[in-house]
Amino acid sequence: AMKFVTLCLVCLGRVIGLGLTVSPVQKVIQLLTGMTQKGTEEMHAEQRLFATYSQWCDDTLFDLKTQIASVTDTIAKESAQVEEHEDTIQTLALGIQSAVTEIGSLEQEKKNATNVREHAREDFLNTHKDFSESIEALENAIKFLQRQAHDREQASLVQVRGLLELGLIPQDTKRALGLFLQQQQPEDVEFDLATSSSSEANAYEFQSTGVVDMLQRLLVKFQGERTNLETEEQEFSHAHNLLVSDLDARVESKSAAQAQMQMRSSTTKEAHVEVSQSLELHKVELAEDQTAESETASLCTQKRADFDARQKLRSEELDAISKAKEILSSEVVAGNEAKYAGGTTASSTALPQLRSDSMTTPQMALRFLSTRAKELKSAVLAQFVTRAAADPFVKVKSLIDDLITRLQEEAISEVTAKGWCDKELATNDQTRKLKTDKVAELHADVDSLRATLATLGEEIADASTEVAKARAEEAEATDLRTKTKAQNTQAITDAREAQTAVAQAVAVLKEFYASAAGATVLMQAPPPIFDSPYSGQQGRNQGVVGLLEVIQSNFAQLEAETLKGEAAAQAEYEKLASDITVMVAGNERDIKNKQSQMVHEKEQLVSVEQDLEDTQKELASAVDYLEQLKPTCLNTGVTFAERDGARAKEIEALQEALAILTQMDQQ
């Protein structure tokens, strides 16, 4: 402090040489006062500036943290979506592979069933041929054996001998036929009787009636077995057709499911690529935001340290100046200067004369402040002038210093309050924006879920209607099939009975006209009108018989067409029933799956509606808090800039008044 005073004195030595009326010590004190005033102003200005900068730091860091939190939440959601897409794609791939495998298995099963059916059909045809040949051979042999012995041609025994070559004829029957043939043509029979003992052969006496009975029983047996074989063939063919129809329906269903899974897989892959790209962009954005947050926090921390260091240095500077003023104002400096300085009489008499010719210094300062109060419309300055004028003994300089200090403290306090308001308003605005967006998103989710539920309900209703229609169609088809089958059965029976009756009528007519054709005239001299014997209406008979044969043919055609139509109608009915069964089963599965999905969607709807209600409450709370902030931070009548500018002008006016007082005191 003493070095500073010495420096000031040295520097002001030139001021004395310029012939100024102010003493060097007084001038130094005046300069130090100006330095104190300027230092204090700069210190307060720097505090206001840093308060604004600090508010910027808080707002920027808050915005960055909010942005980082939002991007982090988005990354978490997109990461979950990516994992879900990957799981879905893998599941669909397994499902597609399973469908392909199952379709291949069904196709192979159909192929195997077709091969088995073809082999069974081939075996049936061979066996049926054997039965038919055996039956025909037995019928021929029976006809031959039923003739009278004298009518038999020895050469015709070949028909009986042919039975020995058929594979279906039992060995016992072959032995009996061999013995019979041996009795008839012993030299032509080559059948091996080694399996029969000679005593049995000698004891066996053949009777043609016994052989015929044996062959007839065998014929009836073969005919029954052939009928059973034909029935089994029809059943196997029908079962094979049903199996092939079911396998085709299952292949079609699996193919449709495979196509749907492939479409879902393609859509999911596109969504996966889109979300993955968005995820990478958000990761880059997060890294940039984190870097910006770190750099901003570091910069703000450095600026805080710089501000603290500058404030400390300014405070130390003001302390040094104050110490210097105290030293200069002491008796040691100022007193000795007045004591030893020359030419002070003129100046000492001039100041009282100046003061006697004008108003006092406090009055001049108060008048200046009154003028500025009117110009600035400042209630603070007007109140100060009124107070100072009412008390002539008040220390005006002290009051001005106190008022300047109070106004500067109010400025700092208001900067802090504005920062708090800005922060709270920004936070509230961010909260309201987030909650408003969330409410809109939840409203959209609710609408989407309700639309999904409505769609599922309509689809279930449609599927149920289709099932009901299908069952009604099946019942109607069954009823129609029953009636049609009864009608066809009756038509076939009627056609067969009509054919039999027509055949009998044709036989009666043919027999009559055949016998009538041989009639002769018994009279030796017939009347001249009869030129020939009457043999019946032979000409018309031919026409009637022809018509009857046509009628019989028509009935036969009716029977054949009815049988064919019955078979086609039965096949069509079975196909319709199979299609309806497959369709109903598929719709019932869809109904069950969609009912399960509706339960899940309803549970999710309840959860989303609860989230929507909670979010709306939070939004209402944020709006209420904004209303609470308005009186303090928004509806204040004037802006912060206007208040800060007016306060700065008030402080400037007070400082000018203080300078007037200080200058007048020094003079």
Side-chain angles (χ1 to χ4, degrees), residues 187-478:
E187 68 281 3
D188 295 333
V189 177
E190 297 178 357
F191 179 71
D192 186 9
L193 299 177
T195 57
S196 302
S197 63
S198 58
S199 59
E200 290 178 350
N202 295 330
Y204 181 81
E205 293 182 359
F206 174 76
Q207 298 295 331
S208 61
T209 56
V211 173
V212 171
D213 291 340
M214 177 184 65
L215 294 180
Q216 286 180 338
R217 288 193 300 272
L218 187 60
L219 175 61
V220 172
K221 177 183 177 183
F222 281 1
Q223 288 176 338
E225 291 180 355
R226 185 177 67 175
T227 301
N228 293 335
L229 182 65
E230 291 174 346
T231 302
E232 291 178 356
E233 171 63 16
Q234 291 179 353
E235 292 176 353
F236 290 158
S237 178
H238 178 65
H240 172 72
N241 291 336
L242 289 179
L243 176 61
V244 170
S245 177
D246 179 66
L247 290 175
D248 289 339
R250 290 168 63 186
V251 168
E252 183 179 358
S253 176
K254 287 296 179 182
S255 298
Q258 178 188 355
Q260 185 177 8
M261 287 188 290
Q262 288 175 339
M263 182 174 65
R264 284 186 57 199
S265 178
S266 177
T267 303
T268 305
K269 287 180 180 178
E270 292 177 358
H272 176 68
V273 171
E274 182 178 351
V275 174
S276 298
Q277 292 176 349
S278 176
L279 177 61
E280 292 302 322
L281 292 176
H282 282 120
K283 287 182 178 179
V284 172
E285 183 180 355
L286 176 62
E288 292 176 351
D289 289 341
Q290 289 175 338
T291 301
E293 180 191 23
S294 176
E295 292 177 351
T296 302
S298 177
L299 178 62
C300 291
T301 301
Q302 181 62 42
K303 292 298 182 181
R304 163 62 68 178
D306 294 343
F307 170 74
D308 292 339
R310 290 169 65 89
Q311 288 289 300
K312 181 180 179 182
L313 182 60
R314 287 184 180 278
S315 179
E316 292 175 352
E317 180 184 20
L318 291 176
D319 290 341
I321 292 174
S322 177
K323 184 69 173 177
K325 285 176 62 178
E326 182 181 354
I327 294 172
L328 292 174
S329 300
S330 65
E331 186 67 23
V332 175
V333 179
N336 289 332
E337 182 192 33
K339 180 178 180 179
Y340 296 105
T344 58
T345 306
S347 61
S348 61
T349 57
L351 184 57
Q353 184 178 1
L354 177 61
R355 290 179 178 175
S356 63
D357 293 338
S358 61
M359 64 182 65
T360 63
T361 301
Q363 289 175 341
M364 292 175 63
L366 291 178
R367 182 178 180 182
F368 171 76
L369 289 178
S370 178
T371 302
R372 294 294 291 163
K374 291 178 182 180
E375 292 174 355
L376 299 176
K377 297 180 181 179
S378 172
V380 175
L381 294 180
Q383 183 180 4
F384 174 79
V385 171
T386 302
R387 178 186 173 190
D391 187 2
F393 299 101
V394 71
K395 296 181 179 180
V396 178
K397 290 178 62 177
S398 177
L399 289 177
I400 292 176
D401 285 334
D402 293 342
L403 183 56
I404 290 173
T405 301
R406 181 168 67 86
L407 290 176
Q408 290 174 341
E409 290 176 352
E410 286 180 359
I412 296 173
S413 175
E414 187 163 347
V415 169
T416 303
K418 181 180 182 300
W420 178 84
C421 284
D422 291 343
K423 180 177 180 181
E424 291 299 314
L425 289 172
T427 303
N428 183 265
D429 181 69
Q430 183 72 15
T431 300
R432 286 185 291 108
K433 182 179 179 182
L434 292 176
K435 297 305 177 183
T436 302
D437 294 342
K438 186 66 174 179
V439 167
E441 180 182 351
L442 291 173
H443 271 301
D445 291 342
V446 169
D447 293 340
S448 176
L449 288 171
R450 288 177 177 171
T452 300
L453 288 173
T455 302
L456 289 174
E458 292 175 358
E459 291 176 352
I460 290 174
D462 293 341
S464 299
T465 302
E466 290 181 4
V467 170
K469 288 182 179 179
R471 294 195 183 280
E473 183 180 355
E474 183 180 18
E476 182 180 356
T478 301

Side-chain angles (χ1 to χ4, degrees), residues 19 33 38 110 158 404 485 547 582 606:
T33 302
K38 184 179 180 181
K110 178 182 176 181
V158 68
I404 290 173
K485 185 173 183 180
L547 289 175
V582 173
V606 171

Side-chain angles (χ1 to χ4, degrees), residues 116-128:
V116 171
R117 182 71 198 101
E118 290 176 352
H119 289 306
R121 178 68 179 175
E122 184 178 356
D123 293 342
F124 162 75
L125 293 175
N126 293 332
T127 306
H128 190 273

Side-chain angles (χ1 to χ4, degrees), residues 564-608:
K564 182 178 179 181
E566 171 64 19
Q570 181 65 27
E572 183 178 358
Y573 168 75
E574 291 175 353
K575 184 177 184 304
L576 175 63
S578 176
D579 293 343
I580 290 176
T581 300
V582 173
M583 187 271 286
V584 168
N587 282 340
E588 288 178 345
R589 284 195 303 271
D590 289 342
I591 290 172
K592 184 178 180 180
N593 293 335
K594 288 174 181 177
Q595 286 174 341
S596 300
Q597 186 179 356
M598 281 190 71
V599 173
H600 174 71
E601 296 291 337
K602 287 180 179 178
E603 293 175 352
Q604 191 172 0
L605 177 60
V606 171
S607 177
V608 172

